[in-house]
Amino acid sequence: MNEIQSILLALHVGAGFVALGSGITAAANKIFELSHRWHIVTGRAFFWSMLGVFGTAVPISVLTGNVFLLLIALFSFYLAWSGWCYARNRSGLPTAVDWLRVSAMLAAALAMAGYGVLLLRAADRNGITLLVFAGIGAGLSLQDLRILRSGGLKGPARIAKHLTMMLGGTIATITAFLVVNIKFHPAFVVWLAPTVLITPIIVWMNIRVLRGAPKPAAAGAGG
């Protein structure tokens, strides 16, 4: 590994640790209705650290030829980026950035599905991981596309979508941590376990918000 790759990897890992800590803290503050101010602060830290993870993953992927890493990085950043956009856009009206992120994820989902099939044909079970994430990414981006075409989201629906995407991004950081530190065969079990275990929490949070449970306004959560 050359010096540039070493520096990029160190920055990538550092941003990943910040994303992991801030993402879990922001989620805990919202789930347990603790400090909304800290939810905002840690939510901002989470988004910018996820940008750092993505910004370093791209050149690392190019330098090492790691297509799998590039696609996973695109998917993970889409979740955090979307959560940030839903928090920042108080009017709910679609913007050019919204159309860009949705289009990028739809293209990435197609690439993930195609590369996943190639991996499976090569007897690489990471293809299963990519196909599952491709399905999730396609489903979320198509849902986003319908939202944009309908004029956007406001009120509790916007907040619920913000929480969904941010928690999805948090799942991505937890997954990355587990994959690096836990050796288990088949590997796709570790890749998919956080999604399976945490998705019910996302569903519960959506139900709670949409039913109007007492909560602070989340308009500045990504601010």
Side-chain angles (χ1 to χ4, degrees):
M1 183 180 295
N2 61 40
E3 185 176 352
I4 293 177
Q5 288 179 236
S6 298
I7 293 173
L8 287 171
L9 182 59
L11 293 172
H12 182 75
V13 172
F17 271 110
V18 174
L20 177 64
S22 57
I24 292 175
T25 304
N29 271 280
K30 180 55 62 177
I31 291 171
F32 298 109
E33 295 293 347
L34 303 175
S35 168
H36 183 61
R37 175 59 185 169
W38 275 107
H39 173 72
I40 294 174
V41 171
T42 53
R44 290 173 179 171
F46 175 71
F47 170 75
W48 290 110
S49 56
M50 286 294 283
L51 179 60
V53 170
F54 175 69
T56 51
V58 172
I60 290 174
S61 302
V62 172
L63 290 171
T64 61
N66 192 335
V67 178
F68 183 85
L69 173 62
L70 177 61
L71 294 174
I72 292 296
L74 282 168
F75 173 62
S76 301
F77 182 62
Y78 161 74
L79 297 170
W81 189 13
S82 296
W84 171 267
C85 288
Y86 278 110
R88 296 277 292 179
N89 188 357
R90 303 180 188 186
S91 70
L93 299 176
T95 67
V97 172
D98 292 321
W99 289 103
L100 174 62
R101 65 177 172 79
V102 171
S103 300
M105 185 62 239
L106 283 172
L110 290 174
M112 291 168 73
Y115 193 62
V117 170
L118 290 177
L119 290 179
L120 285 178
R121 292 182 65 180
D124 186 338
R125 290 186 176 180
N126 277 328
I128 296 174
T129 301
L130 276 185
L131 288 175
V132 172
F133 287 164
I136 295 173
L140 290 172
S141 54
L142 287 173
Q143 185 182 60
D144 270 350
L145 185 60
R146 288 194 295 271
I147 289 170
L148 295 180
R149 287 177 172 175
S150 67
L153 289 179
K154 296 181 180 180
R158 178 181 66 87
I159 297 171
K161 190 66 173 176
H162 158 68
L163 293 174
T164 294
M165 302 307 267
M166 284 299 206
L167 284 169
T170 302
I171 290 175
T173 64
I174 294 172
T175 300
F177 177 80
L178 293 178
V179 168
V180 170
N181 293 281
I182 296 179
K183 303 304 177 185
F184 185 87
H185 297 286
F188 73 85
V189 172
V190 180
W191 275 99
L192 299 180
T195 298
V196 173
L197 295 175
I198 300 176
T199 295
I201 297 177
I202 297 177
V203 174
W204 169 71
M205 287 290 293
N206 272 269
I207 292 173
R208 190 175 75 168
V209 170
L210 293 175
R211 285 182 177 175
K215 58 189 180 300

